Amino acid sequence: MSEHADLLIIGAGPAGMAAALAAAPSSARIVILDDNPLPGGQIWRDGPQAKLPKQAQRLREQLENCGNVRRHASTRVIACAGPKQLLVENDERGWVLGYDKLILCTGARELLLPFPGWTLPGVTGVGGLQALVKGGLPVRDQRLVIAGSGPLLLASAATARHNGARVLRIAEQAGSAAVAAFAAQLPRWPDKLLQSFSLFDHHYRTGTHVLAALGTDRLEGVRLQQQGKIVELACDRLACGFGLIPNTQLGQALGCELDGQVLTVDTWQASSRADHYAAGECTGFGGSELALVEGAIAGYAAVGDRRQAQALWPRRARWQGFANTLNSTFSLDPRLKSLAQPDTLVCRCEDVPYSALATHTDWRAAKLASRCGMGACQGRVCGAATQHLFGWQPSAPRPPFSPARIETLSCLDDSPPA
């Protein structure tokens, strides 16, 4: 079974939705693939305890009203099936999806750094906690500590607090001077300034980072380095997030070049491969506003409407300025590389400690000797951690990109050779 799209969009977060809506008036046959049940990505994730902003609701409604846009929910890309063909799978079937042009809006995932106790039950990522709470996880009256870096700490705290959690501390590793300088620039982006007021929490502390999660069978407390002093807090949950890692694996598999850790794009959001575009956090981090305008530019450019795309360049430049300020403010302190102890697990899927990795010189050697990155997450967590800790470059992705059924893989037999 196969399908063909004039324009295929991978990812239905803000960038993907904006790309589809920009391209829709062209009457092109548009297909959106996303691994979530509903559009919105992580930032606008839906669930029993989620409250979607009006902008997200409006974009969803507009998308549903586009007769030439077809959305495949809960669908994953498994492999490249040939030139401009992908093998995809949902909960019911697998099939080959061909396309003329493609826009990658694959977003980003959390950077999780290992520290003593980070594998204890009760310790999660910051974005992970937010997703769990929106999905219905009860946190009422639970004592919560949030640690790491960036505005997501405040957003996650607000979601948990809204659902009854007791936020004891928000530990931001960036220093007070850097955060104050960032706050002083927020009037350049009035919406962000207003948002900062709604997210403010008096438990927020700068110059503070996690040292260890405490407990035996589950989390019982956390040890923090707070502005030069050691502080211990009893808590029921600890959420840590140290920024984001762009999801570039599919782009790399398709032959798109990288610029550092992100996909390379030009002013039209075009990648290094002809007819392949990219937008949103797989090209750099800047929040939903930047993702929306990048997605719209990519959508217009992909259907040949360069005039509309170029008209959005000033808006993109404005939000790129915010992104640059954000990323420089919350860059990680080098001291965070020393959190892990020799017995701290780095690859939690294969139980590989820091000491088993520190003697190696690159990712491949460490993987061959220790099985690091060969477990269920396929290096998505430990690969990013070792890249930060040791400067290792993870290997290029190999299919299948996600776990797949045998029947799905058999679809490759029916596709033309690459």
Side-chain angles (χ1 to χ4, degrees), residues 31-32 37 71 154 202 242 354:
V31 172
I32 304 180
R71 184 173 62 86
L154 290 166
H202 67 276
F242 297 92
Y354 182 91

Side-chain angles (χ1 to χ4, degrees), residues 3-10 20 28-33 68-72 95 97-98:
E3 180 181 7
H4 188 85
D6 298 326
L7 175 61
L8 174 60
I9 300 170
I10 308 293
R29 188 188 303 111
I30 301 169
V31 172
I32 304 180
L33 253 61
N68 59 324
V69 177
R70 183 176 184 183
R71 184 173 62 86
H72 291 296
W95 71 101
L97 203 166

